[in-house]
Amino acid sequence: MAGIAFPAVGGRGVSASCRRRGAVGLGPVDLVEPPPAEVTIVQDAKGREIARFYEEYREVVSLDAIAEVMKTAIVAIEDDRFYEHGAIDVEGTIRALAKNLQSGRVSQGGSSITQQYVKQVLLNSATTDAQRNAALEASYARKLNELRYAMGVEKKYTKEQILEKYLNIAYFGAGAYGVEAAAKRFFGVRAGKLTLPQAADAGGRRPGPERHRSEPRQEAPRAAAEAS
C-alpha cells in the first residue's frame, strides 16, 4: 500500500492510503480562464434596449452586489470549510477517498468551491466531446488535475475573489447561469436583494456541472434575440 501525499495547501501535509503504487506529486498550475459567456444587449441611439442575445443566460456581478445571505448559503451548502482550507479540503477529500476506495468507484465527492470553479471553467472551455468528457470523467486522474489548477487559483486570488468567480459561473438550473440570473429567474429580484429563504432555495438548486450540459435549454426571462 503506497501513499498519496497531499501537500500543505493551507494546512499541514496529509497522507492517505491508496491501492495504487507510487507517489503522486502536486504543484500549482495556471488555469486559463476565458470570461464566462454573458448576455449581449443591443441599444438604440437613445440607449434604449432593443434586443439581447446569449448562448447562456448570465449577468456577471461583483461580490458586493450579492446578498450576504447568498454568500453564506452557498458556502454552507457547497463547502462549509471554504475559509479554513486551501485548494483542497483535506478532511472532505480524505473522507471521500476512503468511501470511494471502499466502494471501488468514485461514489462521493470531496470538492472544494475552488475545485468546483476549476471544473466549471474546464467544462465551459471544452470545444470537443473528448474535452467535455475529460472534464466530467469520474477518475482520480481528473481529480488530481483539478487539484493542480485549484492550487494555482488559490495562489492567484483571495477567497473573496474565488467566491465571486464561482457564484458567477455556477449553474443553478432552469437555464440560469450565475447567481444574478438565478435570482431574476426564480425570484424576480437582483442577487443583492435575495432573502435568506430565497438564498437557501437557490443554493439547493445547484445541479452540478455534469448536468447543465445535458439539461434542455430553457427560455430565459427575455428571449435570445427578442426585439422590443
Side-chain angles (χ1 to χ4, degrees), residues 3 35 37 49 72 117 142 152 154 179 188 195 202 211 214 222-223:
E49 181 179 333
T72 301
Y117 169 69
R142 176 188 64 77
E154 289 271 352
V179 66
T195 64
R211 286 189 53 193
S214 60
R222 296 285 300 272

Side-chain angles (χ1 to χ4, degrees), residues 18-219:
C18 181
R19 289 175 180 170
R20 294 184 180 180
R21 293 188 177 277
V24 177
L26 292 177
V29 176
D30 286 336
L31 176 68
V32 177
E33 303 169 83
E38 291 189 72
V39 173
T40 298
I41 298 175
V42 180
Q43 299 178 325
D44 62 17
K46 295 183 178 181
R48 295 174 299 194
E49 181 179 333
I50 57 176
R52 56 175 55 193
F53 302 87
Y54 55 83
E55 180 179 353
E56 296 180 351
Y57 179 62
R58 176 188 288 107
E59 297 180 45
V60 173
V61 294
S62 62
L63 195 64
D64 60 10
I66 302 171
E68 287 296 328
V69 290
M70 185 67 229
K71 304 172 199 175
T72 301
I74 206 71
V75 170
I77 293 169
E78 300 284 351
D79 181 1
D80 62 357
R81 288 167 37 81
F82 175 62
Y83 290 102
E84 301 172 26
H85 60 70
I88 177 175
D89 179 1
V90 173
E91 289 185 12
T93 299
I94 297 303
R95 183 171 58 248
L97 181 60
K99 183 172 181 179
N100 294 339
L101 288 174
Q102 185 178 31
S103 66
R105 62 187 178 87
V106 181
S107 60
Q108 178 177 327
S111 296
S112 65
I113 281 177
T114 307
Q115 288 172 268
Q116 292 182 59
Y117 169 69
V118 166
K119 184 175 183 177
Q120 193 68 67
V121 169
L122 294 176
L123 184 59
N124 286 5
S125 303
T127 57
T128 66
D129 287 341
Q131 290 173 333
R132 280 186 284 272
N133 291 337
L136 294 174
E137 70 174 345
S139 71
Y140 291 112
R142 176 188 64 77
K143 206 69 173 176
L144 291 172
N145 192 46
E146 280 181 11
L147 280 176
R148 294 185 182 98
Y149 284 126
M151 291 167 66
V153 170
E154 289 271 352
K155 184 177 179 181
K156 185 177 181 180
Y157 301 112
T158 66
K159 287 289 189 180
E160 297 300 302
Q161 290 173 318
I162 294 170
L163 183 60
E164 177 182 306
K165 287 175 171 291
Y166 178 68
L167 284 168
N168 277 304
I169 202 172
Y171 181 56
F172 287 84
Y177 296 81
V179 66
E180 180 77 353
K184 290 182 177 181
R185 167 166 284 285
F186 300 127
F187 310 111
V189 299
R190 298 187 69 92
K193 298 295 184 181
L194 288 167
T195 64
L196 178 57
Q198 290 170 340
D201 187 342
R205 290 174 180 268
R206 289 272 297 111
E210 62 276 3
R211 286 189 53 193
H212 94 269
R213 291 292 180 179
S214 60
E215 278 192 359
R217 289 198 180 275
Q218 300 195 30
E219 186 178 31

